[in-house]
Amino acid sequence: MQITIFSLFMSVIWSSVLVAFNYFCRKKHFFIRQLGVTNLLFLYLFSIVRMIVPYKFSFTRVIPSQGALDDLYKSAYVNKMGTTQISFVSVLVAVWIIVSAVLLIRFFFQYRKAMAEFSKYRMRDDEQCRRVFNRVLNQSRREMRICIRQSKYVNIPMGVGIFRRSIILPEETYSDAELYYILRHEYTHFQNRDLVIKSLIHIYGCIFWWNPAIYLLKRDLAQILEIKCDLDVTDKMENQDKAGYLTAIVTMLKNAEAKKTPRPFYGATALVARNRESEIIERFKIVSASYGSKRRNLLFTGSWFLVFGMLIVLSYSFVLQPDYEMAGNGRAVGEAVSETTTGSPYSIECIDGRYHVYFR
């Protein structure tokens, strides 16, 4: 079991394919109805695991490649640049590490700065808030310690904090029903540990920032978490209560659009996001169709997980690799080496009965 540049390349390809495949399937509401939102989250987990475990196992078959991949590998890994004799791949790895470190440090400081700012907001402890929040607690699975704050600097209700949890409200006048739906929504996010999931996915994105599929994964996973939260909140509601819940979302969206204040940072869960009309419409359709109360098709779910499991196994069964691979010390590495002429400007390598001469 080892990690090579080729196994990492295959990991990127397969992870991106799984993300795209899961995304386009998830967009069909048939899959939400049949699988459920929680199972869709687990399917996305498969693509994440495939990316962070880029190993080549003992059963992995090496498939030799020719043509453009050979030329690309030679240009990026074998050929050296400048007087320092550094390969292009080494430069890319250095850039990867530096940018990842910068993004992780920036996220850490942004999180600390945001939490310090939120802690200064005024605590809301009036009679209405206590009464409504007690109603939320009575209908919840478990009781959690959460502060409720209010500020004119936010335009959308949001939940913040992994350890010091707070629900931040805009300075608005709320009816009991509106306040209940807002608090219930954000409290459900905390119960589902959605802030932890979003933060971990953001860290994952900081590390693999160069993979375009990461940005699709982050955006769609945030939408799935909102859909899951909506379904959890409205699971046992009557149609009239669901209409009130959706109306509260529309009201908050109109207020946010009127203020035009900055969006919350990624480490928060907001009741609604601005400029995401298609995603809001999707949430409304799913809540109205009562997908959360639908019975799951266990046979379909098991079959779909089996398909994804087989794809994961298939992804580890082979790796594309050029006909040659040069080690860092300049010696030829392959299935069999006929001759390496130390100190000379060339090396001879025999792979699968074919001889290759490489000039350094």
Side-chain angles (χ1 to χ4, degrees):
M1 187 171 70
Q2 60 178 330
I3 298 177
T4 67
I5 186 175
F6 310 108
S7 65
L8 179 61
F9 173 75
M10 295 299 296
S11 179
V12 173
I13 296 298
W14 275 104
S15 177
S16 302
V17 168
L18 290 173
V19 168
F21 181 63
N22 201 41
Y23 173 79
F24 288 111
C25 290
R26 205 282 297 167
K27 281 296 185 180
K28 305 295 182 181
H29 291 177
F30 166 81
F31 286 91
I32 298 178
R33 185 172 62 251
Q34 296 294 325
L35 292 175
V37 184
T38 302
N39 289 328
L40 288 171
L41 288 173
F42 276 109
L43 292 178
Y44 265 128
L45 179 63
F46 283 167
S47 64
I48 295 173
V49 171
R50 185 60 184 92
M51 186 68 214
I52 63 179
V53 186
Y55 287 105
K56 184 172 74 172
F57 295 95
S58 57
F59 62 84
T60 303
R61 180 183 177 185
V62 177
I63 299 179
S65 62
Q66 299 179 2
L69 187 58
D70 281 6
D71 296 337
L72 178 63
Y73 172 69
K74 183 178 180 181
S75 300
Y77 195 72
V78 178
N79 295 340
K80 308 298 180 180
M81 302 189 318
T83 57
T84 57
Q85 293 296 291
I86 299 176
S87 66
F88 185 63
V89 168
S90 299
V91 175
L92 291 180
V93 170
V95 172
W96 176 10
I97 295 174
I98 292 172
V99 175
S100 297
V102 170
L103 292 175
L104 289 171
I105 293 172
R106 187 180 70 172
F107 176 66
F108 174 76
F109 280 105
Q110 282 180 340
Y111 180 84
R112 291 199 61 182
K113 180 180 178 181
M115 292 306 299
E117 180 67 23
F118 294 146
S119 65
K120 299 176 184 178
Y121 293 165
R122 177 176 63 86
M123 293 279 292
R124 178 162 178 180
D125 194 29
D126 55 273
E127 191 275 335
Q128 182 197 30
C129 188
R130 288 195 303 269
R131 184 180 67 253
V132 173
F133 192 54
N134 285 334
R135 181 186 171 193
V136 172
L137 293 177
N138 292 334
Q139 296 178 348
S140 302
R141 299 190 301 269
R142 65 182 186 277
E143 185 173 337
M144 305 177 71
R145 184 176 180 180
I146 297 175
C147 298
I148 301 176
R149 301 178 182 273
Q150 195 165 12
S151 173
K152 63 180 180 180
Y153 299 109
V154 298
N155 63 337
I156 297 175
M158 67 181 74
V160 298
I162 296 176
F163 303 105
R164 294 180 298 168
R165 308 178 187 95
S166 298
I167 297 175
I168 313 296
L169 302 174
E171 284 194 350
E172 302 285 347
T173 301
Y174 305 98
S175 67
D176 282 7
E178 288 175 338
L179 187 59
Y180 168 75
Y181 293 134
I182 293 170
L183 297 181
R184 179 79 183 275
H185 180 93
E186 298 306 330
Y187 193 88
T188 302
H189 272 307
F190 285 117
Q191 284 192 315
N192 294 341
R193 296 182 174 84
D194 290 343
L195 275 82
V196 177
I197 296 174
K198 290 190 70 173
S199 297
L200 291 176
I201 291 298
H202 189 75
I203 292 173
Y204 174 74
C206 290
I207 296 174
F208 298 102
W209 54 268
W210 40 266
N211 186 356
I214 297 297
Y215 302 95
L216 176 63
L217 171 65
K218 287 176 59 177
R219 177 162 180 169
D220 197 50
L221 194 137
Q223 174 70 350
I224 291 177
L225 292 178
E226 290 300 327
I227 292 173
K228 185 176 185 303
C229 184
D230 290 335
L231 294 177
D232 288 345
V233 170
T234 61
D235 185 32
K236 297 180 180 180
M237 286 185 179
E238 300 293 336
N239 289 336
Q240 183 177 357
D241 295 327
K242 290 180 181 179
Y245 175 77
L246 298 177
T247 301
I249 292 179
V250 173
T251 301
M252 293 302 104
L253 178 60
K254 289 181 178 178
N255 293 339
E257 291 292 346
K259 292 181 180 179
K260 299 293 184 181
T261 52
R263 295 179 182 177
F265 76 113
Y266 190 80
T269 56
L271 178 66
V272 65
R274 290 165 43 195
N275 302 324
R276 300 280 180 88
E277 287 82 4
S278 61
E279 296 178 359
I280 296 170
I281 292 173
E282 181 183 35
R283 290 171 58 184
F284 278 32
K285 288 181 178 179
I286 292 174
V287 170
S288 300
S290 301
Y291 285 171
S293 58
K294 303 287 186 182
R295 293 188 61 183
R296 307 299 168 214
N297 188 326
L298 297 181
L299 178 60
F300 180 85
T301 301
S303 301
W304 202 249
F305 269 87
L306 179 62
V307 169
F308 260 74
M310 292 175 64
L311 286 175
I312 294 294
V313 174
L314 175 64
S315 70
Y316 283 109
S317 63
F318 69 94
V319 60
L320 295 175
Q321 186 169 317
D323 281 343
Y324 65 92
E325 181 180 349
M326 298 296 291
N329 59 7
R331 290 162 40 184
V333 178
E335 295 181 5
V337 177
S338 174
E339 178 183 356
T340 301
T341 54
T342 306
S344 65
Y346 66 90
S347 61
I348 303 174
E349 183 177 20
C350 177
I351 301 177
D352 296 334
R354 292 179 296 176
Y355 289 88
H356 304 266
V357 178
Y358 305 113
F359 291 90
R360 297 193 292 273

